[in-house]
Amino acid sequence: MANLDLIIRARNEAQAALNELDKSLGGLRKQAGGLSGGLAGLGNVLKVGLVAGAAAGAAALGAVGAAAFGVAQSFEDAQHTLIAATGASGAALDGMSQSVVALHGSVAGLDRSMADIAAVMGEVNTRTGATGPALDTFTAQILKMTRITGDDGVAAVAGITRVMGDWSVPLEESSGLMDKLFGAGQAFGIGLDSLAGKLVQFGAPLRQMGFGLDESIAMLGKWEKEGVNTELVIGS
């Protein structure tokens, strides 16, 4: 009977936390149009201007040459990173390399080197098997989210894909999962790595008690905010 009371109380807390998380996500979507799609809208505000001076002469040509060399070196570093991470070659490597270049020139790649983007893309490909547009989209979402949270991109891929595996979340629903994890971090102050780790660690007992993924994200986030000992509560 005591165990049943604990489960009922936990379910009530989960519903309250889920309502709070939904409210937080609603506010974030109004501000940014949703993490999975709206952050791309930042590109409308972030513009880079290039001004050429007529008196630049040979100095400008030298700068262009140095910049071109730097880009070529960055591209080569990115390719080496992709090969090390995925073992790709031929057309597969060429396709991912071009995707890295495209992401580097987009809002998702702001302040990221090509090698950093390639490392995230390689991890996504290795852990999910995604290729083509699905790989590009997942990688872009990770880059956008971790730029805001400050988390390491490769580690974030590992954490999120483990949650996907443990909770049977298909690849096409990954953007929604990232929205919820990001929203929980904003609403409850729980780190992405901590939340992902708890969702995997306690996934089986939570599902046995009838909790869904959304409820579990909200409840674990709320417990983190309130200083609840998750191990003790779930263990009991």
Side-chain angles (χ1 to χ4, degrees), residues 8 11 18 29 46 64 88 95 119 124 132 149 177 184 193 202 206 233:
I8 292 172
R11 289 194 68 84
L18 188 56
R29 289 188 181 106
L46 300 169
V64 169
V124 173
T149 63
L177 173 62
D193 57 342
F202 302 116
L206 284 168
V233 173

Side-chain angles (χ1 to χ4, degrees), residues 10 198 201-206 209 211 219-220 223 228-236:
K198 284 180 169 63
Q201 182 182 356
F202 302 116
L206 284 168
M209 290 188 290
F211 291 100
M219 184 170 64
L220 291 172
W223 283 354
V228 174
N229 188 321
T230 304
E231 286 83 356
L232 184 62
V233 173
I234 298 294
S236 67

Side-chain angles (χ1 to χ4, degrees), residues 152-164:
D152 176 74
V154 173
V157 173
I160 290 169
T161 52
R162 287 184 68 214
V163 173
M164 290 169 63

Side-chain angles (χ1 to χ4, degrees), residues 169-234:
V169 178
L171 183 62
E172 56 269 21
E173 295 178 15
S174 61
S175 62
L177 173 62
M178 280 188 250
D179 274 349
K180 291 162 190 169
L181 295 175
F182 177 76
Q186 298 297 300
F188 306 118
I190 186 169
L192 175 63
D193 57 342
S194 175
L195 180 54
K198 284 180 169 63
L199 284 168
V200 174
Q201 182 182 356
F202 302 116
L206 284 168
R207 288 190 293 273
Q208 280 186 327
M209 290 188 290
F211 291 100
L213 179 56
D214 291 359
E215 289 176 313
S216 299
I217 289 173
M219 184 170 64
L220 291 172
K222 190 171 188 294
W223 283 354
E224 175 79 11
K225 183 178 181 180
E226 295 172 351
V228 174
N229 188 321
T230 304
E231 286 83 356
L232 184 62
V233 173
I234 298 294

Side-chain angles (χ1 to χ4, degrees), residues 35-62:
L35 179 67
S36 57
L39 288 182
L42 291 173
N44 296 328
V45 224
L46 300 169
K47 297 183 181 179
V48 179
L50 296 176
V51 181
L61 289 175

Side-chain angles (χ1 to χ4, degrees), residues 16-228:
L18 188 56
N19 292 339
E20 188 175 343
L21 178 56
D22 283 341
K23 191 182 300 181
S24 175
L25 281 172
L28 288 168
R29 289 188 181 106
K30 283 182 182 177
Q31 294 175 36
L35 179 67
S36 57
L39 288 182
L42 291 173
N44 296 328
V45 224
L46 300 169
K47 297 183 181 179
V48 179
L50 296 176
V51 181
L61 289 175
V64 169
F69 177 79
V71 170
Q73 185 63 52
S74 296
F75 181 77
E76 186 176 344
D77 291 343
Q79 281 201 315
H80 287 318
T81 301
L82 287 171
I83 292 169
T86 67
S89 61
L93 177 61
D94 289 343
M96 284 193 286
S97 299
Q98 292 307 314
S99 292
V100 167
V101 172
L103 285 170
H104 186 256
S106 72
V107 174
L110 286 174
D111 302 323
R112 303 294 183 100
S113 69
M114 287 191 196
D116 288 341
I117 296 171
V120 173
M121 179 172 286
E123 189 74 5
V124 173
N125 173 262
T126 300
R127 286 183 170 271
T128 68
T131 58
L135 175 61
D136 297 350
T137 299
F138 198 125
T139 303
Q141 289 165 355
I142 290 289
L143 292 171
K144 292 173 189 175
M145 182 174 68
T146 54
R147 187 169 63 249
I148 297 171
T149 63
D151 291 298
D152 176 74
V154 173
V157 173
I160 290 169
T161 52
R162 287 184 68 214
V163 173
M164 290 169 63
D166 190 70
W167 287 85
S168 301
V169 178
L171 183 62
E172 56 269 21
E173 295 178 15
S174 61
S175 62
L177 173 62
M178 280 188 250
D179 274 349
K180 291 162 190 169
L181 295 175
F182 177 76
Q186 298 297 300
F188 306 118
I190 186 169
L192 175 63
D193 57 342
S194 175
L195 180 54
K198 284 180 169 63
L199 284 168
V200 174
Q201 182 182 356
F202 302 116
L206 284 168
R207 288 190 293 273
Q208 280 186 327
M209 290 188 290
F211 291 100
L213 179 56
D214 291 359
E215 289 176 313
S216 299
I217 289 173
M219 184 170 64
L220 291 172
K222 190 171 188 294
W223 283 354
E224 175 79 11
K225 183 178 181 180
E226 295 172 351
V228 174

